[in-house]
Amino acid sequence: MSLFNVFQVSASAMSAQSMRLNAVASNMANADSVVSADGRPYRAKQVVFEATPMGGAGELSKGVRVTQVVESAAPARMVYDPKNPAADEKGYVAFSNVNVVEEMTNMISASRAYQTNVEVMNTAKSLLLRTLQIGQQG
């Protein structure tokens, strides 16, 4: 793998993690939602990644791309609140299926992955600059 492929791989990972962070932000913002745009409780969004080849033929390096954003299949969170106007006939209100603890963990993981790829790019840049400096001295 050439040093230039490092930039492609890291950039693809940063883009994917950015989409993951956006999904987490949307989930967190709607954690206590009762109704979404379609009239049902908000459903948590999950980002699906896929490895994708980078570089030319014969290269073994792989990046990452987002293949889709899917809704969580977890059931809605039911809360007993008979005074709520959104309550059903039994007095339960269906809230979003967002698990705040899982989303915070997702946010930390995505943020660290993004930061790690920034560091990889910075290190590759430093190596290239150092290589150019060595070439100028000789």
Side-chain angles (χ1 to χ4, degrees):
M1 171 165 52
S2 80
L3 199 52
F4 292 106
N5 280 359
V6 171
F7 290 108
Q8 289 180 317
V9 171
S10 289
S12 72
M14 288 170 59
S15 176
Q17 294 301 334
S18 177
M19 287 188 71
R20 183 176 169 201
L21 283 168
N22 284 338
V24 168
S26 178
N27 290 344
M28 293 293 285
N30 290 291
D32 289 327
S33 295
V34 176
V35 179
S36 66
D38 63 2
R40 299 180 306 134
Y42 177 84
R43 304 200 60 80
K45 310 281 188 268
Q46 303 297 325
V47 178
V48 179
F49 297 137
E50 176 183 72
T52 182
M54 292 289 188
E59 288 286 334
L60 298 176
S61 60
K62 293 196 183 256
V64 64
R65 70 181 182 99
V66 174
T67 58
Q68 60 183 332
V69 178
V70 297
E71 288 186 348
S72 171
R77 184 172 37 102
M78 302 302 285
V79 176
Y80 183 73
D81 185 5
K83 294 181 182 176
N84 190 315
D88 64 11
E89 63 279 348
K90 295 179 184 175
Y92 285 93
V93 179
F95 281 89
S96 73
N97 63 352
V98 174
N99 182 326
V100 177
V101 175
E102 284 180 15
E103 294 303 323
M104 289 297 292
T105 304
N106 251 342
M107 181 184 66
I108 291 168
S109 174
S111 175
R112 287 192 177 158
Y114 188 93
Q115 290 170 346
T116 300
N117 281 289
V118 169
E119 288 299 317
V120 167
M121 288 183 101
N122 285 334
T123 300
K125 177 182 153 191
S126 296
L127 287 171
L128 284 172
L129 289 173
R130 185 66 184 133
T131 301
L132 288 173
Q133 288 173 351
I134 291 171
Q136 290 175 347
Q137 294 171 359

